């Protein structure tokens, strides 16, 4: 785990598994701001801009990480334009997704915020089944931390989505019955932002 306000030992390369980046509010609430999946480098703002690290980074499952000194990573990126371009492309894709989430956090309903998070999670981390369903290993608590909603609100909204047959919930797994139907019920095209 990398703690907020501590200098990381270097730049991590995530080869397998997932790592969450989060903050903790004054009230002690965990707010997940990003989930890294392979291939990913972090914390890049600390590495490139030399900004103070203000986030926690924690493995969500067993991970394979490689570690490089900050200067080596910065020089490698500078000397390899294809790597820099790939990193920049992923950064902008992530920024688009964060801006979309931020817009929803500022003005959308709980239903819309939850649906957007489910759509993003399905496209980034979902495991398609032969039936065309998408399985997500995510809990109501994690969805609450990612949407800024309370756990109770997430559970209530999931029950409504269940009643509409858009999702099924079972033992920490959410199954999206039909991603296209969920996107249509949400009413917002999010394809390019994920």
């Amino acid at each position: 785990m990398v703690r907020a306000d501590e200098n990381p030992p270097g730049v991590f390369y995530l080869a397998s598994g997932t790592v969450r980046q989060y903050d903790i509010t004054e009230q002690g609430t965990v707010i997940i701001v990003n989930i890294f999946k392979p291939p990913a480098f972090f914390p890049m703002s600390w590495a490139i801009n030399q900004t103070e690290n203000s986030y926690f980074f924690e493995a969500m499952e067993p991970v394979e990480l490689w570690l490089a000194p900050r200067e080596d990573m910065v020089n490698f990126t500078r000397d390899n334009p294809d790597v820099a371009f790939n990193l920049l492309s992923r950064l902008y894709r992530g920024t688009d997704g964060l801006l979309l989430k931020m817009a929803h956090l500022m003005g959308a309903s709980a239903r819309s915020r939850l649906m957007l998070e489910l759509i993003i999670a399905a496209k980034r981390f979902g495991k398609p089944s032969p039936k065309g369903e998408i399985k997500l290993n995510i809990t109501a608590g994690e969805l609450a931390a990612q949407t800024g909603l309370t756990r109770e609100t997430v559970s209530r909204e999931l029950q409504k989505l269940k009643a509409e047959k858009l999702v099924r919930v079972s033992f920490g797994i959410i199954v999206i019955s039909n991603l296209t139907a969920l996107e249509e019920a949400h009413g917002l095209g999010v394809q390019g932002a994920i």
Side-chain angles (χ1 to χ4, degrees), residues 27-47:
Q27 295 79 22
T29 304
V30 171
I31 304 294
I32 298 172
V33 295
N34 193 16
I35 298 176
F36 293 96
K37 67 176 187 172
F41 296 97
F42 64 90
M44 290 306 292
S45 184
W46 169 82

Side-chain angles (χ1 to χ4, degrees), residues 110-119 161 166 182 185-186:
R111 173 186 170 87
S112 180
R113 289 160 60 180
L114 178 62
M115 290 172 78
L116 177 65
E117 194 61 41
L118 288 171
I119 292 165
L161 294 175
L166 292 170
L182 183 63
H186 182 267

